């Protein structure tokens, strides 16, 4: 994995390209989701830009995961609209949305523990490689994916473990492998649900550097509770409270908003 210099919060919130704001690749307008009489998400507007990391934060129960599920079509909105790469995906099924380039991870690591790192990535490459539905082919047919798989493994810094079972990796490196398998799907927008959850300091540093590198060529939207990570990585931050947007902007402005400090960050510096 390429080594990148850790940035300060001010550097992280600067646009990656000088001048014009990068293009919007994922947007939501008036997003609302009701469960019976309960409104979980209400009137959410969101713009995610190419080559930026955008954080969705808020206290437990704020609606962050519901927004993720709406954007990736695991849930249908009660009202509102969603656009991906200038196409309306409001009523599109999740599999098609993934093929269009919107790919997500989950809070729980989703790798095959008894397969090697290389085998995990080869499995992920089967769909873009056209092999996912060709189940009658012999296993050696997957060898054609080895070069691409190794390139992905090297890009995330796991080449030393390519033949090791995924179960032998540390928790943080399992999350790195999971990101590698999502990159195998060639996402244009990557949604990460609490990628730093349960990690020690060293693993947080590794995954942060990887996310920063990934975002050089695609948009990243992440739910994250570690505010130091948010400050260091994210260009834009949207704060949810009770299913509605409390405020949005760069970390510096959002963190100074007294409503945010009261609702989520508290009065002490994190």
């Amino acid at each position: 994995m390429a080594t990148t210099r850790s940035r300060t919060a001010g550097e992280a919130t600067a646009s990656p390209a000088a001048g014009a704001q990068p293009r919007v690749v994922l947007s939501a307008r008036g997003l609302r989701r009701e469960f019976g009489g309960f409104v979980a998400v209400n009137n959410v507007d969101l713009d995610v830009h190419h080559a930026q990391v955008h954080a969705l934060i808020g206290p437990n129960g704020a609606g962050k995961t519901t927004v993720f599920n709406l954007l990736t079509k695991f849930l249908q909105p009660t009202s509102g609209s969603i656009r991906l790469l200038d196409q309306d995906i409001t009523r599109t099924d999740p599999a098609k949305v993934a093929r269009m380039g919107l790919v997500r991870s989950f809070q729980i690591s989703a790798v095959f523990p008894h397969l090697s790192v290389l085998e995990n990535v080869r499995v992920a490459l089967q769909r873009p490689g056209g092999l996912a539905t060709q189940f009658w082919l012999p296993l050696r047919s997957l060898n054609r994916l080895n070069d691409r798989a190794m390139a992905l493994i090297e890009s995330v810094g796991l080449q030393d473990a390519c033949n090791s079972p995924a179960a032998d990796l540390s928790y943080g490196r399992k999350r790195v492998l999971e990101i590698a398998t999502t990159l195998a799907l060639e996402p244009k927008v990557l949604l990460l649900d609490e990628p730093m959850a349960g990690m020690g300091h060293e693993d947080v540093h590794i995954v942060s550097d990887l996310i920063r590198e990934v975002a050089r060529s695609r948009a990243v939207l992440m739910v994250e509770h570690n505010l130091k990570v948010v400050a260091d990585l994210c260009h834009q931050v949207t704060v949810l409270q009770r299913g509605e947007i409390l405020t949005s902007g760069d970390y510096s402005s959002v963190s100074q908003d007294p409503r945010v400090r009261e609702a989520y960050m508290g009065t002490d510096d994190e």
Side-chain angles (χ1 to χ4, degrees):
M1 180 174 61
T3 302
T4 54
R5 178 178 59 89
S6 180
R7 295 181 292 181
T8 65
E11 288 175 304
T13 55
S15 174
Q21 180 85 331
R23 71 183 186 278
V24 174
V25 292
L26 176 66
S27 66
R29 290 293 179 270
L31 207 57
R32 180 182 177 91
R33 173 68 192 198
E34 300 175 12
F35 295 96
F38 173 68
V39 179
V41 170
N42 184 42
N43 197 34
V44 166
D45 292 344
L46 189 67
D47 285 327
V48 181
H49 296 84
H50 174 69
Q52 288 194 355
V53 183
H54 192 131
L56 193 62
I57 70 173
N60 290 334
K64 304 181 297 297
T65 297
T66 302
V67 169
F68 255 42
N69 288 336
L70 290 168
L71 293 174
T72 51
K73 312 319 311 300
F74 285 83
L75 288 173
Q76 289 293 342
T78 304
S79 59
S81 64
I82 306 167
R83 297 186 68 83
L84 172 66
L85 303 171
D86 294 326
Q87 296 186 54
D88 191 319
I89 62 166
T90 309
R91 300 299 168 189
T92 306
D93 68 79
K96 184 175 181 181
V97 165
R99 290 194 297 271
M100 293 170 66
L102 181 60
V103 179
R104 72 172 290 181
S105 73
F106 294 85
Q107 292 181 21
I108 299 174
S109 181
V111 298
F112 297 106
H114 301 300
L115 295 182
S116 71
V117 167
L118 176 62
E119 289 166 337
N120 267 275
V121 177
R122 288 202 316 183
V123 167
L125 283 169
Q126 286 182 56
R127 179 167 293 280
L131 299 175
T133 57
Q134 300 179 36
F135 53 85
W136 61 87
L137 294 176
L139 284 175
R140 66 178 178 273
S141 66
L142 296 180
N143 289 338
R144 74 181 75 169
L145 302 176
N146 284 349
D147 288 347
R148 173 64 177 145
M150 282 306 303
L152 277 169
I153 289 167
E154 290 173 5
S155 75
V156 300
L158 289 177
Q159 61 270 20
D160 62 317
C162 66
N163 294 314
S164 300
D168 291 349
L169 299 177
S170 70
Y171 179 73
R173 297 192 95 195
K174 284 189 179 77
R175 298 312 299 258
V176 168
L177 175 57
E178 183 182 0
I179 292 174
T181 62
T182 60
L183 293 178
L185 301 176
E186 300 178 356
K188 297 177 176 65
V189 184
L190 182 60
L191 275 62
L192 301 175
D193 196 355
E194 298 192 32
M196 311 298 175
M199 288 187 190
H201 177 75
E202 182 178 351
D203 284 338
V204 166
H205 179 73
I206 291 169
V207 176
S208 293
D209 277 354
L210 175 58
I211 292 171
R212 183 180 292 111
E213 192 67 26
V214 164
R216 291 179 181 275
S217 57
R218 56 183 58 80
V220 176
L221 176 65
M222 58 189 285
V223 169
E224 183 52 56
H225 286 290
N226 187 326
L227 297 183
K228 289 189 170 88
V229 169
V230 172
D232 182 55
L233 271 182
C234 298
H235 302 84
Q236 292 292 315
V237 181
T238 296
V239 185
L240 286 178
Q241 183 183 34
R242 300 188 185 94
E244 298 185 348
I245 292 179
L246 187 61
T247 189
S248 189
D250 60 51
Y251 182 83
S252 178
S253 60
V254 164
S255 63
Q256 295 304 314
D257 189 314
R259 299 169 302 164
V260 174
R261 297 179 70 84
E262 179 181 356
Y264 180 66
M265 298 178 184
T267 56
D268 296 325
D269 291 335
E270 291 288 332

